[in-house]
């Protein structure tokens, strides 16, 4: 695996950028009111010292972001992550709306003419860094962006220097129909091959995975993202423990199963 470069290339303010997915974004001036429809946007804005005009997720309330008290001052767009309400978005008079392409791309026609919509689709940590740089350029927060990128690259390089020969895996879900994060399509998982043995590649299809598939990988350390959409009645680890194969996984036998904060691990996707 290539060594992480801690060098940060300088960025310059810009009124137009072309992102990692060759989406061109043009603004007549620096955006002052940005609405975030997914958490990478909130992550980037926090790194740049910007508070969004509105959001539709809980990332800002997390420690190391705005915290609960300050986050309560940011309006929440109704409709949730899947179907944020267009009228509510526009009621905040945004200069820029940032969403996730495969979820919010369908909103583009309704927003066209009223605001600028930026569909992002981060799949690796490099994508997340590129989006940070582009937003920094459009908002004129280039120094803040460079500082955030430097901090992130330095931490990742340090982790790489101390890389482990243990096998690690990230799984996610709300019940026994769980998924496995792959380095080719998950920003968190994309960092793991540099710091541990990550025995999973994308198999090209979406869908649930079996406990048998996990067992044969001899996973030493398991990170678990419990995904909840509404009320939840326990962790993914608790539900999977009902499967008799669960206790045969080395990570489970050795007490190295770690329930992580899915708001940050799965939804944040950014350098923070």
């Amino acid at each position: 695996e290539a060594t992480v470069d801690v060098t940060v290339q300088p960025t310059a303010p810009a009124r137009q950028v072309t992102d990692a997915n060759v989406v061109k974004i043009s603004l007549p001036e620096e955006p002052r009111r940005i609405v975030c429809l997914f958490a990478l946007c909130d992550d980037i804005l926090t790194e740049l010292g910007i508070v969004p005009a509105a959001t539709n997720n809980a990332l800002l309330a997390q420690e190391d972001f705005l915290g609960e008290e300050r986050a309560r001052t940011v309006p929440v767009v109704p409709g949730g992550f899947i179907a944020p309400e267009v009228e509510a978005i526009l009621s905040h008079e945004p200069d820029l709306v940032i969403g996730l392409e495969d979820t919010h791309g369908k909103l583009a026609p309704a927003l066209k003419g009223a605001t600028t919509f930026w569909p992002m689709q981060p799949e690796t940590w490099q994508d997340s860094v590129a989006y940070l740089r582009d937003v920094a350029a459009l908002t004129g927060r280039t120094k803040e962006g460079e500082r955030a990128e430097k901090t992130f690259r330095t931490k990742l390089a340090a982790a790489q220097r101390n890389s482990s020969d243990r096998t690690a895996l990230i799984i996610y879900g709300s019940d026994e129909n769980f998924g496995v994060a792959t380095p080719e399509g998950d920003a968190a998982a994309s960092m793991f091959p540099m710091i541990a043995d990550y025995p999973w590649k994308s198999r090209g299809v979406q869908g649930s995975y079996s406990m048998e598939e996990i067992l044969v990988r001899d996973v030493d350390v398991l990170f678990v993202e419990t995904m909840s959409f509404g009320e939840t009645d326990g962790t993914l680890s608790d539900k999977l423990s009902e499967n008799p194969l669960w206790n045969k996984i080395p990570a489970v036998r050795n007490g190295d199963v770690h329930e992580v904060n899915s708001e940050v691990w799965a939804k944040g996707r950014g350098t923070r």
Side-chain angles (χ1 to χ4, degrees):
E1 190 70 39
T3 302
V4 175
D5 188 355
V6 300
T7 304
V8 175
Q9 298 300 321
T11 54
R15 296 279 59 80
Q16 178 177 292
V17 297
T18 301
D19 71 19
N21 289 313
V22 201
V23 174
K24 186 176 290 185
I25 301 297
S26 300
L27 293 170
E29 57 187 11
E30 293 177 3
R32 301 191 181 282
R33 298 185 59 78
I34 303 174
V35 171
C36 291
L37 300 183
F38 84 125
L40 176 61
C41 172
D42 301 86
D43 192 301
I44 289 173
L45 295 192
T46 303
E47 289 283 54
L48 300 179
I50 300 171
V51 177
T55 187
N56 73 336
N57 64 82
L59 186 68
L60 292 176
Q62 304 296 311
E63 187 179 358
D64 296 325
F65 285 81
L66 294 186
E68 288 187 15
E69 186 173 347
R70 286 191 65 202
R72 279 196 289 269
T73 67
V74 181
V76 176
V77 176
F81 172 67
I82 302 297
E85 296 177 8
V86 171
E87 287 187 6
I89 294 169
L90 295 178
S91 72
H92 298 289
E93 301 181 346
D95 306 307
L96 179 63
V97 177
I98 297 177
L100 183 62
E101 165 62 29
D102 63 14
T103 303
H104 306 120
K106 61 183 180 293
L107 299 178
L111 295 172
K112 189 175 182 179
T115 187
T116 298
F117 175 60
W118 189 346
M120 295 181 174
Q121 194 65 44
E123 296 182 345
T124 65
W125 70 264
Q126 291 94 334
D127 291 341
S128 295
V129 169
Y131 283 126
L132 168 69
R133 292 175 61 86
D134 286 345
V135 178
L138 283 178
T139 58
R141 301 293 182 101
T142 57
K143 296 304 179 187
E144 290 88 344
E146 290 169 10
R147 185 163 56 246
E149 181 182 350
K150 180 73 171 181
T151 298
F152 171 76
R153 286 184 176 275
T154 301
K155 287 183 178 180
L156 186 53
Q160 187 180 35
R161 287 194 299 272
N162 296 296
S163 61
S164 171
D165 59 1
R166 304 182 81 195
T167 298
L169 197 64
I170 304 172
I171 63 173
Y172 61 89
S174 58
D175 54 32
E176 61 273 8
N177 296 312
F178 62 89
V180 176
T182 64
E184 300 85 2
D186 181 274
S190 69
M191 294 185 282
F192 267 82
M194 294 179 291
I195 60 179
D197 177 30
Y198 200 90
W200 214 282
K201 302 288 184 184
S202 173
R203 62 186 188 184
V205 294
Q206 295 294 324
S208 61
Y209 293 77
S210 69
M211 193 69 72
E212 288 83 356
E213 290 179 273
I214 302 294
L215 186 59
V216 299
R217 306 300 178 111
D218 287 329
V219 178
D220 299 308
V221 185
L222 197 57
F223 296 97
V224 184
E225 301 169 347
T226 298
M227 309 295 289
S228 59
F229 299 95
E231 294 298 319
T232 181
D233 57 352
T235 66
L236 177 58
S237 297
D238 289 338
K239 293 173 183 176
L240 293 180
S241 68
E242 298 171 6
N243 187 317
L245 295 179
W246 175 253
N247 288 319
K248 295 183 179 181
I249 299 172
V252 178
R253 294 201 313 264
N254 299 327
D256 253 333
V257 176
H258 306 276
E259 280 278 348
V260 299
N261 184 342
S262 64
E263 291 293 337
V264 178
W265 275 65
K267 303 174 188 177
R269 307 191 193 199
T271 52
R272 199 170 189 85

